[in-house]
Amino acid sequence: MEEYIKIIDAHSHLWLHQDTMVEGQCIKEMGNGRSMFFGEEVQMLPPFIIDGKNSAEIFLSNMNYARVSAAVVTQEFIDGLQNDYLEEVGRLYPDRFFVFGMPDFRQEDWLEQAFQLMGRGFKGIKIPAARMIGKDSRIWLNSPQMMKMYHEMERRGVLLHVELTEGDKQVGEVEDIITECPRLRIIIGHFGMVTREGWLYQIRLARHKRVFVECGGITWLFNDEFYPFPSAVQAIREAADEVGIDKLMWGSDYPRTITAITYKMSYDFVLKSELLDAHEKRLFLSDNARKLFGFNNLIDLPYIKNMSE
């Protein structure tokens, strides 16, 4: 029998309404779990979420069923800013969710927004950096204004979550942040875009003491291979050999990834793998995230038998 681990999801999303513009294109929920996404109709949510509300309560039901004790909720431009809702979620369920605030870096007053979010009590700030390199413009992660935000985050103990564009295009900018703010804790998202060329450049950032990597979306990135994602586990093994398993965390990228697989499937391919030992699995699925995000009261979830068993 597998050892029971109080699992923590280090990458998830929540929203009540999806209605926004990114790069001049509409992203909007259409009912039955579908959204218009960069000119294409896609299944953004499971089809039974007919009203488009990807709520904390629905997620908690999924978490309880899959025996996931806590989750980190991040943000992305494609979902629209969710600061008000996530502030409420963090207040209602402090032992189940760690929530990231996100300024709108496309607006002139983004730095003021960032300071306001920290003042409201957000313990993490998200930068969707891959969306900040446009055809005709670029927001540099190491600009003087950005550095002002990082210094304040460092002073307050606020975490930085950043998703970089593929390869090493923005790695140098992150190196500058690390040099300027050595006490700032940084999380690299999407496992460095592991299926893209040069992904290990991003993973190697975790050789720095306060830099960590989460694997949110890894089942999406290896979707063509599908469950049980043997190449994904091999990539986790390779990353662990590069920077140490204590720097890596599991993340699901819920809810988008569970249109193809169940929520439990998004982590149990790791549990079933023989490439990681029991200690490594515990660190990757729970302990690393527990320490970083301060989940000190993890809920113990019993196994509930399926009716079909």
Side-chain angles (χ1 to χ4, degrees):
M1 180 179 294
E2 293 173 349
E3 177 190 8
Y4 173 58
I5 299 173
K6 293 182 179 179
I7 293 172
I8 300 171
D9 186 344
H11 186 128
S12 67
H13 298 272
L14 294 174
W15 62 81
L16 289 184
H17 304 285
Q18 189 181 55
D19 185 2
T20 190
M21 296 287 293
V22 178
E23 299 171 7
Q25 297 194 63
C26 175
I27 299 173
K28 184 178 178 63
E29 69 94 6
M30 302 172 63
N32 298 320
R34 298 178 184 177
S35 292
M36 183 56 61
F37 183 71
F38 292 110
E40 179 183 14
E41 185 177 349
V42 301
Q43 195 72 44
M44 183 71 66
L45 298 170
F48 52 79
I49 304 180
I50 60 175
D51 61 0
K53 292 184 178 180
N54 172 36
S55 71
E57 288 73 25
I58 291 175
F59 190 20
L60 282 169
S61 183
N62 272 286
M63 290 166 63
N64 292 344
Y65 172 70
R67 305 179 82 189
V68 174
S69 293
V72 176
V73 185
T74 186
Q75 297 196 53
E76 231 271 30
F77 286 159
I78 62 173
D79 301 326
L81 268 65
Q82 301 294 328
N83 295 313
D84 291 344
Y85 179 52
L86 295 190
E87 183 178 18
E88 178 185 359
V89 168
R91 184 175 66 252
L92 289 174
Y93 309 107
D95 293 334
R96 302 301 300 274
F97 294 117
F98 180 104
V99 297
F100 275 86
M102 184 175 72
D104 192 339
F105 294 96
R106 301 162 298 184
Q107 303 296 321
E108 289 186 1
D109 68 341
W110 69 263
L111 184 58
E112 181 182 347
Q113 293 178 39
F115 277 72
Q116 289 175 350
L117 289 169
M118 287 184 268
R120 287 164 61 176
F122 280 94
K123 297 177 182 178
I125 295 292
K126 167 66 178 292
I127 302 181
R131 304 241 180 238
M132 292 160 61
I133 299 181
K135 293 180 181 179
D136 303 314
S137 64
R138 178 168 181 170
I139 300 173
W140 293 89
L141 302 178
N142 56 354
S143 71
Q145 270 200 312
M146 284 285 191
M147 289 299 182
K148 289 181 182 178
M149 180 181 72
Y150 305 139
H151 278 295
E152 182 63 15
M153 293 171 65
E154 185 181 41
R155 187 183 75 81
R156 291 176 178 254
V158 172
L159 278 64
L160 171 64
H161 185 201
V162 59
E163 292 167 358
L164 305 175
T165 195
E166 60 189 42
D168 64 349
K169 296 181 181 67
Q170 293 173 303
V171 166
E173 295 165 59
V174 178
E175 292 277 7
D176 287 346
I177 298 168
I178 295 166
T179 300
E180 182 79 12
C181 301
R183 293 182 291 108
L184 179 65
R185 291 170 295 169
I186 302 172
I187 301 103
I188 306 298
H190 289 317
F191 220 62
M193 295 299 291
V194 58
T195 55
R196 311 294 196 259
E197 185 176 355
W199 67 282
L200 282 172
Y201 288 110
Q202 297 187 33
I203 300 297
R204 290 174 185 138
L205 286 167
R207 290 175 174 173
H208 294 279
K209 182 178 181 180
R210 291 180 173 84
V211 181
F212 304 82
V213 178
E214 48 88 353
C215 77
I218 199 168
T219 61
W220 150 61
L221 290 162
F222 285 99
N223 182 65
D224 289 345
E225 182 178 89
F226 204 65
Y227 186 88
F229 308 107
S231 297
V233 184
Q234 183 61 53
I236 294 168
R237 176 74 273 162
E238 186 174 357
D241 292 342
E242 286 278 344
V243 301
I245 194 68
D246 59 315
K247 289 303 195 76
L248 309 178
M249 300 175 289
W250 171 69
S252 69
D253 208 7
Y254 174 99
R256 285 180 270 269
T257 48
I258 67 164
T259 58
I261 58 174
T262 68
Y263 186 43
K264 183 178 180 181
M265 289 167 71
S266 67
Y267 73 79
D268 74 356
F269 74 95
V270 175
L271 281 178
K272 290 179 168 61
S273 173
E274 296 181 355
L275 289 182
L276 301 173
D277 63 32
H279 176 65
E280 291 173 319
K281 291 173 183 177
R282 174 174 284 278
L283 290 175
F284 182 70
L285 293 168
S286 181
D287 287 357
N288 296 338
R290 177 181 56 80
K291 294 175 184 176
L292 180 61
F293 297 105
F295 286 114
N296 298 317
N297 298 297
L298 288 176
I299 188 172
D300 189 350
L301 293 164
Y303 174 75
I304 304 297
K305 180 180 178 180
N306 286 324
M307 186 271 288
S308 58
E309 289 182 62

